[in-house]
Amino acid sequence: MVDDGFLSDGATAVFVDREQNFWITDTRGINKINNLKVTNYFEKNGMLEDEVTAIIEKNDGKIIMGHNKGLSIYSNNKFKTIPFPSSMENTRRVQDMIMDNKGNIWFVSISMGLGRLLEDGNIIWYYTKKYPTLTAVCQDKNGRIWVGADRKLLYIENDK
């Protein structure tokens, strides 16, 4: 794949946005396929960092990408970055990301917990010391947010 314009020989996720663009993440950045044209984006183009570990599209067309150290938001051909607090542990990688039925973006960071991205770019964090490693997030048909943690399933109730 490297000879064909892709950044590396593998992918960590594939996502198709509302305009039928293909976004392929890998450990070297992210590849966008539009009309059979490959566009590569890197930190030097404005992303927080080259490695992209999760991706989702909001209803307004913004593309949210998770990294080891924070988030990048791609909109109108520009990137906005949201770094995680540097005081947190080294293992901060975004593992999974969803958009709930109200349009909220939820994501899990390995050691930082569950995050909810607010419209202003701030993040509300939900963390449990009993199960510090979170790896997956989803929403059930009743709207409850669930996370996978250390062989357990946890959910948000009353904002906790």
Side-chain angles (χ1 to χ4, degrees), residues 54-76:
I55 185 170
I56 194 138
E57 181 180 21
K58 292 185 62 166
N59 290 332
D60 60 7
K62 291 178 183 171
I63 304 292
I64 313 297
M65 291 165 257
H67 305 281
N68 289 307
K69 300 175 188 172
L71 304 172
S72 292
I73 302 172
Y74 182 76
S75 178
N76 298 319

PDB file of all heavy atoms in Angstrom, residues 54-76:
ATOM      1  N   ALA A  54      -8.602   6.636  16.454  1.00  0.00           N
ATOM      2  CA  ALA A  54     -10.064   6.546  16.376  1.00  0.00           C
ATOM      3  C   ALA A  54     -10.569   7.716  15.541  1.00  0.00           C
ATOM      4  O   ALA A  54      -9.905   8.749  15.451  1.00  0.00           O
ATOM      5  CB  ALA A  54     -10.678   6.588  17.774  1.00  0.00           C
ATOM      6  N   ILE A  55     -11.746   7.538  14.943  1.00  0.00           N
ATOM      7  CA  ILE A  55     -12.303   8.596  14.091  1.00  0.00           C
ATOM      8  C   ILE A  55     -13.820   8.496  14.072  1.00  0.00           C
ATOM      9  O   ILE A  55     -14.386   7.402  14.145  1.00  0.00           O
ATOM     10  CB  ILE A  55     -11.727   8.497  12.658  1.00  0.00           C
ATOM     11  CG1 ILE A  55     -12.203   9.657  11.791  1.00  0.00           C
ATOM     12  CG2 ILE A  55     -12.047   7.160  12.036  1.00  0.00           C
ATOM     13  CD1 ILE A  55     -11.496   9.765  10.453  1.00  0.00           C
ATOM     14  N   ILE A  56     -14.479   9.665  13.985  1.00  0.00           N
ATOM     15  CA  ILE A  56     -15.941   9.718  13.874  1.00  0.00           C
ATOM     16  C   ILE A  56     -16.327  11.046  13.229  1.00  0.00           C
ATOM     17  O   ILE A  56     -15.571  12.004  13.282  1.00  0.00           O
ATOM     18  CB  ILE A  56     -16.626   9.548  15.252  1.00  0.00           C
ATOM     19  CG1 ILE A  56     -18.097   9.258  15.082  1.00  0.00           C
ATOM     20  CG2 ILE A  56     -16.412  10.743  16.134  1.00  0.00           C
ATOM     21  CD1 ILE A  56     -18.601   8.207  16.008  1.00  0.00           C
ATOM     22  N   GLU A  57     -17.522  11.076  12.639  1.00  0.00           N
ATOM     23  CA  GLU A  57     -18.026  12.309  12.032  1.00  0.00           C
ATOM     24  C   GLU A  57     -19.231  12.800  12.816  1.00  0.00           C
ATOM     25  O   GLU A  57     -20.136  12.040  13.141  1.00  0.00           O
ATOM     26  CB  GLU A  57     -18.430  12.057  10.584  1.00  0.00           C
ATOM     27  CG  GLU A  57     -18.949  13.293   9.886  1.00  0.00           C
ATOM     28  CD  GLU A  57     -19.355  13.031   8.447  1.00  0.00           C
ATOM     29  OE1 GLU A  57     -19.614  11.860   8.092  1.00  0.00           O
ATOM     30  OE2 GLU A  57     -19.420  14.000   7.686  1.00  0.00           O
ATOM     31  N   LYS A  58     -19.257  14.103  13.096  1.00  0.00           N
ATOM     32  CA  LYS A  58     -20.412  14.718  13.744  1.00  0.00           C
ATOM     33  C   LYS A  58     -21.482  15.015  12.706  1.00  0.00           C
ATOM     34  O   LYS A  58     -21.216  15.010  11.507  1.00  0.00           O
ATOM     35  CB  LYS A  58     -19.992  16.018  14.440  1.00  0.00           C
ATOM     36  CG  LYS A  58     -19.077  15.796  15.625  1.00  0.00           C
ATOM     37  CD  LYS A  58     -18.796  17.082  16.335  1.00  0.00           C
ATOM     38  CE  LYS A  58     -20.095  17.631  16.851  1.00  0.00           C
ATOM     39  NZ  LYS A  58     -20.041  18.678  17.797  1.00  0.00           N
ATOM     40  N   ASN A  59     -22.686  15.315  13.150  1.00  0.00           N
ATOM     41  CA  ASN A  59     -23.795  15.623  12.244  1.00  0.00           C
ATOM     42  C   ASN A  59     -23.503  16.838  11.368  1.00  0.00           C
ATOM     43  O   ASN A  59     -24.029  16.954  10.266  1.00  0.00           O
ATOM     44  CB  ASN A  59     -25.083  15.858  13.036  1.00  0.00           C
ATOM     45  CG  ASN A  59     -25.618  14.584  13.644  1.00  0.00           C
ATOM     46  OD1 ASN A  59     -25.398  13.493  13.128  1.00  0.00           O
ATOM     47  ND2 ASN A  59     -26.310  14.707  14.764  1.00  0.00           N
ATOM     48  N   ASP A  60     -22.672  17.760  11.855  1.00  0.00           N
ATOM     49  CA  ASP A  60     -22.365  18.962  11.082  1.00  0.00           C
ATOM     50  C   ASP A  60     -21.218  18.751  10.088  1.00  0.00           C
ATOM     51  O   ASP A  60     -20.776  19.686   9.432  1.00  0.00           O
ATOM     52  CB  ASP A  60     -22.038  20.133  12.009  1.00  0.00           C
ATOM     53  CG  ASP A  60     -20.831  19.886  12.910  1.00  0.00           C
ATOM     54  OD1 ASP A  60     -20.140  18.849  12.752  1.00  0.00           O
ATOM     55  OD2 ASP A  60     -20.574  20.735  13.785  1.00  0.00           O
ATOM     56  N   GLY A  61     -20.726  17.510   9.986  1.00  0.00           N
ATOM     57  CA  GLY A  61     -19.670  17.195   9.030  1.00  0.00           C
ATOM     58  C   GLY A  61     -18.263  17.283   9.575  1.00  0.00           C
ATOM     59  O   GLY A  61     -17.308  16.927   8.880  1.00  0.00           O
ATOM     60  N   LYS A  62     -18.086  17.748  10.802  1.00  0.00           N
ATOM     61  CA  LYS A  62     -16.750  17.794  11.390  1.00  0.00           C
ATOM     62  C   LYS A  62     -16.256  16.374  11.631  1.00  0.00           C
ATOM     63  O   LYS A  62     -17.010  15.514  12.072  1.00  0.00           O
ATOM     64  CB  LYS A  62     -16.753  18.569  12.711  1.00  0.00           C
ATOM     65  CG  LYS A  62     -17.009  20.040  12.532  1.00  0.00           C
ATOM     66  CD  LYS A  62     -17.048  20.755  13.860  1.00  0.00           C
ATOM     67  CE  LYS A  62     -17.380  22.221  13.645  1.00  0.00           C
ATOM     68  NZ  LYS A  62     -17.643  22.900  14.927  1.00  0.00           N
ATOM     69  N   ILE A  63     -14.977  16.146  11.349  1.00  0.00           N
ATOM     70  CA  ILE A  63     -14.356  14.846  11.576  1.00  0.00           C
ATOM     71  C   ILE A  63     -13.530  14.960  12.854  1.00  0.00           C
ATOM     72  O   ILE A  63     -12.654  15.833  12.963  1.00  0.00           O
ATOM     73  CB  ILE A  63     -13.440  14.441  10.396  1.00  0.00           C
ATOM     74  CG1 ILE A  63     -14.221  14.452   9.079  1.00  0.00           C
ATOM     75  CG2 ILE A  63     -12.771  13.109  10.659  1.00  0.00           C
ATOM     76  CD1 ILE A  63     -15.282  13.401   8.959  1.00  0.00           C
ATOM     77  N   ILE A  64     -13.814  14.097  13.829  1.00  0.00           N
ATOM     78  CA  ILE A  64     -13.089  14.083  15.100  1.00  0.00           C
ATOM     79  C   ILE A  64     -12.141  12.890  15.071  1.00  0.00           C
ATOM     80  O   ILE A  64     -12.567  11.769  14.807  1.00  0.00           O
ATOM     81  CB  ILE A  64     -14.045  13.944  16.311  1.00  0.00           C
ATOM     82  CG1 ILE A  64     -15.233  14.904  16.193  1.00  0.00           C
ATOM     83  CG2 ILE A  64     -13.282  14.117  17.615  1.00  0.00           C
ATOM     84  CD1 ILE A  64     -14.903  16.352  16.195  1.00  0.00           C
ATOM     85  N   MET A  65     -10.866  13.135  15.367  1.00  0.00           N
ATOM     86  CA  MET A  65      -9.857  12.079  15.381  1.00  0.00           C
ATOM     87  C   MET A  65      -9.234  11.987  16.767  1.00  0.00           C
ATOM     88  O   MET A  65      -8.949  13.012  17.389  1.00  0.00           O
ATOM     89  CB  MET A  65      -8.763  12.379  14.353  1.00  0.00           C
ATOM     90  CG  MET A  65      -9.250  12.265  12.925  1.00  0.00           C
ATOM     91  SD  MET A  65      -8.101  13.014  11.778  1.00  0.00           S
ATOM     92  CE  MET A  65      -8.953  14.542  11.449  1.00  0.00           C
ATOM     93  N   GLY A  66      -9.028  10.752  17.223  1.00  0.00           N
ATOM     94  CA  GLY A  66      -8.362  10.519  18.492  1.00  0.00           C
ATOM     95  C   GLY A  66      -6.907  10.152  18.246  1.00  0.00           C
ATOM     96  O   GLY A  66      -6.569   9.509  17.251  1.00  0.00           O
ATOM     97  N   HIS A  67      -6.068  10.566  19.172  1.00  0.00           N
ATOM     98  CA  HIS A  67      -4.626  10.308  19.091  1.00  0.00           C
ATOM     99  C   HIS A  67      -4.143   9.771  20.439  1.00  0.00           C
ATOM    100  O   HIS A  67      -4.932   9.536  21.346  1.00  0.00           O
ATOM    101  CB  HIS A  67      -3.869  11.606  18.797  1.00  0.00           C
ATOM    102  CG  HIS A  67      -4.318  12.340  17.580  1.00  0.00           C
ATOM    103  ND1 HIS A  67      -3.949  11.973  16.314  1.00  0.00           N
ATOM    104  CD2 HIS A  67      -5.100  13.440  17.440  1.00  0.00           C
ATOM    105  CE1 HIS A  67      -4.464  12.822  15.440  1.00  0.00           C
ATOM    106  NE2 HIS A  67      -5.179  13.713  16.096  1.00  0.00           N
ATOM    107  N   ASN A  68      -2.845   9.661  20.573  1.00  0.00           N
ATOM    108  CA  ASN A  68      -2.243   9.272  21.849  1.00  0.00           C
ATOM    109  C   ASN A  68      -2.360  10.385  22.887  1.00  0.00           C
ATOM    110  O   ASN A  68      -2.463  10.109  24.071  1.00  0.00           O
ATOM    111  CB  ASN A  68      -0.763   8.931  21.663  1.00  0.00           C
ATOM    112  CG  ASN A  68      -0.584   7.637  20.920  1.00  0.00           C
ATOM    113  OD1 ASN A  68      -1.140   6.621  21.295  1.00  0.00           O
ATOM    114  ND2 ASN A  68       0.177   7.690  19.855  1.00  0.00           N
ATOM    115  N   LYS A  69      -2.315  11.630  22.452  1.00  0.00           N
ATOM    116  CA  LYS A  69      -2.221  12.753  23.388  1.00  0.00           C
ATOM    117  C   LYS A  69      -3.395  13.713  23.332  1.00  0.00           C
ATOM    118  O   LYS A  69      -3.343  14.779  23.913  1.00  0.00           O
ATOM    119  CB  LYS A  69      -0.934  13.528  23.116  1.00  0.00           C
ATOM    120  CG  LYS A  69       0.314  12.698  23.274  1.00  0.00           C
ATOM    121  CD  LYS A  69       1.529  13.494  22.864  1.00  0.00           C
ATOM    122  CE  LYS A  69       2.761  12.614  22.841  1.00  0.00           C
ATOM    123  NZ  LYS A  69       3.903  13.317  22.260  1.00  0.00           N
ATOM    124  N   GLY A  70      -4.453  13.378  22.583  1.00  0.00           N
ATOM    125  CA  GLY A  70      -5.587  14.285  22.513  1.00  0.00           C
ATOM    126  C   GLY A  70      -6.433  14.060  21.281  1.00  0.00           C
ATOM    127  O   GLY A  70      -6.461  12.961  20.719  1.00  0.00           O
ATOM    128  N   LEU A  71      -7.111  15.120  20.844  1.00  0.00           N
ATOM    129  CA  LEU A  71      -8.047  15.054  19.725  1.00  0.00           C
ATOM    130  C   LEU A  71      -7.689  16.088  18.661  1.00  0.00           C
ATOM    131  O   LEU A  71      -7.121  17.136  18.973  1.00  0.00           O
ATOM    132  CB  LEU A  71      -9.473  15.343  20.206  1.00  0.00           C
ATOM    133  CG  LEU A  71     -10.032  14.473  21.322  1.00  0.00           C
ATOM    134  CD1 LEU A  71     -11.376  15.029  21.790  1.00  0.00           C
ATOM    135  CD2 LEU A  71     -10.181  13.033  20.866  1.00  0.00           C
ATOM    136  N   SER A  72      -8.058  15.795  17.417  1.00  0.00           N
ATOM    137  CA  SER A  72      -8.006  16.761  16.325  1.00  0.00           C
ATOM    138  C   SER A  72      -9.396  16.832  15.730  1.00  0.00           C
ATOM    139  O   SER A  72     -10.074  15.818  15.590  1.00  0.00           O
ATOM    140  CB  SER A  72      -7.028  16.323  15.227  1.00  0.00           C
ATOM    141  OG  SER A  72      -5.698  16.361  15.675  1.00  0.00           O
ATOM    142  N   ILE A  73      -9.816  18.044  15.365  1.00  0.00           N
ATOM    143  CA  ILE A  73     -11.106  18.252  14.707  1.00  0.00           C
ATOM    144  C   ILE A  73     -10.827  18.847  13.337  1.00  0.00           C
ATOM    145  O   ILE A  73     -10.187  19.893  13.223  1.00  0.00           O
ATOM    146  CB  ILE A  73     -12.010  19.186  15.529  1.00  0.00           C
ATOM    147  CG1 ILE A  73     -12.236  18.602  16.930  1.00  0.00           C
ATOM    148  CG2 ILE A  73     -13.336  19.427  14.806  1.00  0.00           C
ATOM    149  CD1 ILE A  73     -12.952  19.535  17.879  1.00  0.00           C
ATOM    150  N   TYR A  74     -11.310  18.165  12.293  1.00  0.00           N
ATOM    151  CA  TYR A  74     -11.111  18.613  10.919  1.00  0.00           C
ATOM    152  C   TYR A  74     -12.411  19.207  10.404  1.00  0.00           C
ATOM    153  O   TYR A  74     -13.441  18.543  10.376  1.00  0.00           O
ATOM    154  CB  TYR A  74     -10.679  17.437  10.040  1.00  0.00           C
ATOM    155  CG  TYR A  74     -10.389  17.804   8.610  1.00  0.00           C
ATOM    156  CD1 TYR A  74      -9.212  18.461   8.274  1.00  0.00           C
ATOM    157  CD2 TYR A  74     -11.279  17.479   7.608  1.00  0.00           C
ATOM    158  CE1 TYR A  74      -8.935  18.787   6.959  1.00  0.00           C
ATOM    159  CE2 TYR A  74     -11.016  17.801   6.282  1.00  0.00           C
ATOM    160  CZ  TYR A  74      -9.841  18.462   5.964  1.00  0.00           C
ATOM    161  OH  TYR A  74      -9.567  18.778   4.661  1.00  0.00           O
ATOM    162  N   SER A  75     -12.355  20.487  10.005  1.00  0.00           N
ATOM    163  CA  SER A  75     -13.531  21.178   9.500  1.00  0.00           C
ATOM    164  C   SER A  75     -13.080  22.285   8.562  1.00  0.00           C
ATOM    165  O   SER A  75     -12.122  23.010   8.873  1.00  0.00           O
ATOM    166  CB  SER A  75     -14.325  21.772  10.668  1.00  0.00           C
ATOM    167  OG  SER A  75     -15.438  22.491  10.211  1.00  0.00           O
ATOM    168  N   ASN A  76     -13.754  22.425   7.439  1.00  0.00           N
ATOM    169  CA  ASN A  76     -13.430  23.470   6.465  1.00  0.00           C
ATOM    170  C   ASN A  76     -11.955  23.462   6.068  1.00  0.00           C
ATOM    171  O   ASN A  76     -11.311  24.502   6.002  1.00  0.00           O
ATOM    172  CB  ASN A  76     -13.834  24.850   6.997  1.00  0.00           C
ATOM    173  CG  ASN A  76     -15.327  24.957   7.237  1.00  0.00           C
ATOM    174  OD1 ASN A  76     -16.128  24.479   6.448  1.00  0.00           O
ATOM    175  ND2 ASN A  76     -15.698  25.559   8.355  1.00  0.00           N
TER     176      ASN A  76
END
